[in-house]
Amino acid sequence: MPETTPRGLTRLAFGGDYNPEQWPESVWQEDVRLMREAGVTMVSVGIFSWAMLEPEPGVYDFGWLDRILGLLHDNGIRVDLGTPTVCPPVWFYRAHPEALPVTPDGVRLAFGSRGAICHSDADYRTAAANITTRLAERYGDHPALAMWHVHNEYGVPVSACYCDSCAAHFRRWLRETYGTVAAVNEAWGTAFWGQRYASFDDIDPPRTTPTVGNPGQALDYKRFADATMRENFRAERDILHRLSPGVPVTTNFMTALSQCDSVDYWAWGREVDIVTNDHYLITDGRRTHVNLAMAADLTRSVAGGAPWILLEHSTSGVNWQPRNPAKAPGQMARNSLGHVARGSEGAMFFQWRQSRRGAEKFHSSMVPHGGTDTRVWREVVRLGAALDSLSPLRGTRTEADVAVLWDWQSWWAQNLAWRPSEDHDARERADAFYEALYDLHLTVDFAHPEADLSAHPLVVVPAMYLTTEAAGRNLTRYVEAGGTLVVSCFSGIVDEHDAVHEGPHPGALRDVLGLTVEEFSPLLQGESVRVTGPDGVELSGDVWSEFVVPRGAETVWTYADGLTAGHPAVTRHRLGEGAAWYVSTRLGHDGLTALLERAADDARLAPRTGLPRDLEVVRRSGETGVYLFAINHTGADAKVPLDTPGTELLTGEHAAGRLAVPAGAVRVVRLDG
């Protein structure tokens, strides 16, 4: 069986994408010397190197890769070796132009970027298998090899192609999934608008149509595109397992909801030997450290709670957003150690040395254009030392308080056309609920709606428009057994085919919530509703409201104005040993905090008192002990109460009573006992 940790790596992973082919060999010795100075333990090599490795069809040049792997091994640096299948060479596209992807409008994209791939194309699959085989045969037992890195960021920038090859592949997928065309017609509801199909041969991808197409077809095509990429990953992975036994295989995910919306990472997490992730701060005015924490929690959850690896992030600014600010002094360490706190076994970057040419030459790196006499380099060296001091926590797991349910397929379905309001966005609700939990200092596990939830006293559902009957039964059992559930509006509405559940809304959730929804009442842009509740507490909602009818649930907050005035806005349903809360409008941060505080009381979650906003406190625990991370994202010094004394690993100081955490700093305490 393949290992689930990088082979031969005895410390936390620290390094980045290394692209020596961009530089003359005279630079390589300097690179490795600087890597040793910075404490680099692993680098990713060869991800975009297909044209260098196979400059002509069937002609290979491995000499440069032999030399760089040997140099890295001689200096004690492990290698995450890529299969370069994200960027086929230009000679491949000249011979096989049909391997370039086609848009829904019928436009074939051109060579000259990255990820321009039709994943259904047989010639691409053959060529990818061939270069992967050659690499595995040559380097499968190389002493520097720590793990294999297949492709790069599946789903970005292209996940779906709409060409004739994809049409034929889609029909095969439908036949395997449904068995008969009659079953497809039933699932998609093709009786509507006279779309009924007589045979699989009649079915095409959801190409551009005069108006909105069939939503069931569109949803299945998203599943098909994701499954097709996964087929290609498995093909390369299986070659590597066969020819390089015992070496783990991964591919770099992009789990942040701000960065990739076309990949079902619950399914992908089961396919890799080690979950790895890329994360980049989105400078859209939000608190970027909250998005970072959310992405890290989501990645750990995709890994089943096991340790994972941050394979890419940035030392400072990136180059692909409209505005790309530099990171503040100390922010690189806070970002890196924030991922480690939430389960990562290290912190790696894109990339080692900043490029002088190409599309990403203004993307920051570990060695910037300015060289080693720069703030970024000095912070890189300090971070390397910090990570080295944290090596004892390898293999420990992050402790969570609450589960948030998330389903990529439900997100896909809710984002299809012609919903009641384009302003009601699943990602926005997920972000908002997570931020409220973050500010209550509760650590989050994410979970699939059909997963075992018994370990979590509180489960939160920010958006679950698509809810299977199995998920509905799962949540009912959870509440009956004593769990506390919080569900947001427009959840439980449709089944896995985007068909509305029979009977009143919210379909699969009406029994657990103890209510029905007679009608949605979306608000116009700029409109809001007042919501009044216990002790005269008044909240405000926008975007969405509903006509809710309690069927066993009690009303906690009530709409005070608007079309739904007098109707329940927030309800609570006692069921078995537990309780289920429902909120039928889009509450802001204060409203969500008030709701979640009450739900946390139901769940008997101990409050985190005495901690300022934006002071992050997370624990990892395992055989080597319990480790408390305190990350101060504020501009003021802070103190964290310690129930147990311990040793602060970054400074070596004894910590007891109240842990001092300077402004912008990170402290990690290994607790005694």
Side-chain angles (χ1 to χ4, degrees):
M1 292 290 294
E3 293 291 329
T4 57
T5 57
R7 189 180 66 167
L9 189 64
T10 58
R11 294 178 289 165
L12 294 177
F14 179 57
D17 283 35
Y18 183 36
N19 299 292
E21 64 270 30
Q22 296 181 16
W23 304 92
E25 291 199 28
S26 58
V27 177
W28 297 1
Q29 292 286 346
E30 174 72 359
D31 280 333
V32 172
R33 183 186 69 79
L34 292 176
M35 287 178 190
R36 294 185 64 177
E37 180 180 331
V40 166
T41 60
M42 185 167 73
V43 292
S44 301
V45 175
I47 296 168
F48 299 103
S49 302
W50 194 341
M52 297 286 293
L53 295 168
E54 190 178 5
E56 299 176 38
V59 176
Y60 301 96
D61 180 5
F62 293 112
W64 68 273
L65 189 53
D66 291 346
R67 294 191 294 278
I68 198 63
L69 294 187
L71 182 61
L72 292 166
H73 174 65
D74 290 344
N75 285 272
I77 299 167
R78 309 298 294 163
V79 173
D80 166 40
L81 185 56
T83 67
T85 50
V86 68
C87 282
V90 67
W91 58 256
F92 171 80
Y93 287 116
R94 286 200 188 106
H96 307 289
E98 69 284 353
L100 289 163
V102 174
T103 69
D105 294 327
V107 175
R108 191 175 295 278
L109 301 179
F111 174 81
S113 181
R114 68 174 190 177
I117 295 165
C118 167
H119 283 277
S120 294
D121 184 75
D123 293 313
Y124 167 75
R125 291 181 168 206
T126 298
N130 179 66
I131 190 63
T132 299
T133 299
R134 295 282 182 159
L135 285 165
E137 288 173 342
R138 191 173 189 92
Y139 301 110
D141 60 355
H142 195 285
L145 182 63
M147 62 183 186
W148 288 100
H149 180 309
V150 171
H151 203 267
N152 181 72
E153 296 177 345
Y154 279 99
V156 179
V158 177
S159 60
C161 171
Y162 298 81
C163 70
D164 289 341
S165 293
C166 288
H169 192 185
F170 184 43
R171 294 172 194 132
R172 294 193 299 273
W173 183 86
L174 290 171
R175 189 183 299 276
E176 293 169 359
T177 301
Y178 290 100
T180 66
V181 72
V184 174
N185 283 318
E186 175 65 21
W188 292 358
T190 57
F192 186 80
W193 280 358
Q195 298 169 350
R196 189 171 184 82
Y197 296 104
S199 75
F200 285 105
D201 291 339
D202 294 334
I203 302 175
D204 284 325
R207 295 166 175 151
T208 302
T209 51
T211 185
V212 174
N214 186 292
Q217 178 191 24
L219 179 57
D220 264 346
Y221 204 75
K222 290 179 179 292
R223 293 177 173 130
F224 158 76
D226 180 54
T228 302
M229 292 187 292
R230 209 157 54 245
E231 284 178 17
N232 286 355
F233 168 77
R234 282 197 298 265
E236 293 188 45
R237 178 203 64 191
D238 292 350
I239 291 169
L240 297 169
H241 279 170
R242 176 170 54 85
L243 297 175
S244 184
V247 179
V249 180
T250 191
T251 185
N252 45 341
F253 295 168
M254 297 191 76
T255 62
L257 306 186
S258 54
Q259 291 175 244
C260 183
D261 62 0
S262 60
V263 174
D264 182 352
Y265 285 115
W266 293 125
W268 282 80
R270 297 189 292 269
E271 302 290 353
V272 297
D273 301 322
I274 304 173
V275 167
T276 63
N277 195 53
D278 298 351
H279 181 264
Y280 293 96
L281 302 182
I282 303 299
T283 52
D284 60 357
R286 304 180 193 219
R287 297 156 70 200
T288 56
H289 56 278
V290 179
N291 175 274
L292 183 155
M294 182 177 177
D297 284 341
L298 190 49
T299 306
R300 182 187 69 254
S301 302
V302 166
W308 54 279
I309 297 176
L310 175 66
L311 210 53
E312 288 185 29
H313 71 313
S314 66
T315 57
S316 192
V318 297
N319 71 310
W320 38 265
Q321 298 181 88
R323 288 157 290 280
N324 298 286
K327 290 187 177 181
Q331 188 177 359
M332 180 201 306
R334 290 197 302 277
N335 289 169
S336 300
L337 298 179
H339 286 286
V340 174
R342 295 175 187 272
S344 177
E345 296 281 78
M348 297 182 65
F349 296 91
F350 181 86
Q351 59 180 324
W352 166 251
R353 183 178 286 274
Q354 193 167 15
S355 299
R356 292 184 56 226
R357 300 174 176 84
E360 294 186 290
K361 57 183 170 288
F362 296 116
H363 190 296
S364 62
S365 68
M366 299 176 77
V367 182
H369 290 143
T372 57
D373 189 16
T374 57
R375 173 178 68 88
V376 165
W377 173 254
R378 288 187 286 272
E379 290 194 23
V380 163
V381 174
R382 288 197 294 270
L383 177 60
L387 288 169
D388 188 56
S389 69
L390 299 183
S391 289
L393 61 74
R394 291 174 70 239
T396 60
R397 296 193 173 207
T398 300
E399 300 176 359
D401 305 294
V402 55
V404 171
L405 300 194
W406 180 256
D407 181 11
W408 276 274
Q409 296 194 24
S410 178
W411 189 22
W412 299 343
Q414 187 172 335
N415 281 346
L416 296 174
W418 286 13
R419 298 303 184 240
S421 173
E422 65 179 17
D423 298 325
H424 185 45
D425 178 67
R427 178 202 156 191
E428 184 280 331
R429 285 292 79 189
D431 286 346
F433 272 87
Y434 183 90
E435 186 169 7
L437 291 166
Y438 180 97
D439 285 343
L440 290 171
H441 301 285
L442 296 173
T443 303
V444 169
D445 275 341
F446 285 85
H448 187 275
E450 297 179 17
D452 179 10
L453 304 171
S454 59
H456 297 93
L458 176 62
V459 170
V460 176
V461 181
M464 203 163 69
Y465 161 77
L466 186 158
T467 306
T468 63
E469 293 285 358
R473 291 191 296 270
N474 188 43
L475 293 180
T476 299
R477 289 192 299 269
Y478 166 76
V479 174
E480 288 175 336
T484 300
L485 177 68
V486 178
V487 178
S488 188
C489 51
F490 204 44
S491 294
I493 307 303
V494 300
D495 67 12
E496 60 269 32
H497 304 299
D498 197 46
V500 173
H501 286 288
E502 289 189 18
H505 303 312
L509 298 179
R510 61 177 172 257
D511 292 339
V512 69
L513 295 176
L515 55 82
T516 59
V517 175
E518 288 192 353
E519 191 176 3
F520 309 129
S521 185
L523 304 178
L524 298 180
Q525 191 170 24
E527 284 187 334
S528 62
V529 288
R530 290 188 301 112
V531 177
T532 58
D535 303 321
V537 175
E538 184 172 298
L539 309 177
S540 178
D542 65 1
V543 170
W544 193 267
S545 64
E546 296 175 348
F547 291 93
V548 173
V549 179
R551 310 282 185 183
E554 60 178 300
T555 299
V556 182
W557 272 281
T558 303
Y559 289 110
D561 58 12
L563 197 61
T564 54
H567 289 265
V570 177
T571 61
R572 179 177 180 270
H573 183 217
R574 294 179 181 272
L575 184 66
E577 300 298 316
W581 293 74
Y582 183 64
V583 54
S584 63
T585 187
R586 193 178 83 163
L587 295 177
H589 187 274
D590 291 346
L592 289 178
T593 300
L595 168 66
L596 292 170
E597 283 178 334
R598 285 167 171 78
D601 286 343
D602 269 356
R604 299 179 179 85
L605 278 175
R608 304 291 201 275
T609 57
L611 296 177
R613 190 174 192 247
D614 292 325
L615 178 67
E616 191 172 333
V617 178
V618 183
R619 289 178 180 238
R620 286 182 64 158
S621 62
E623 292 183 0
T624 62
V626 178
Y627 302 84
L628 183 143
F629 284 74
I631 305 172
N632 189 351
H633 298 284
T634 78
D637 295 349
K639 292 187 177 181
V640 175
L642 291 178
D643 295 333
T644 305
T647 301
E648 204 291 305
L649 297 181
L650 302 181
T651 62
E653 297 174 354
H654 178 70
R658 294 177 66 82
L659 172 68
V661 188
V666 180
R667 293 292 180 261
V668 184
V669 178
R670 182 176 182 174
L671 302 176
D672 294 340

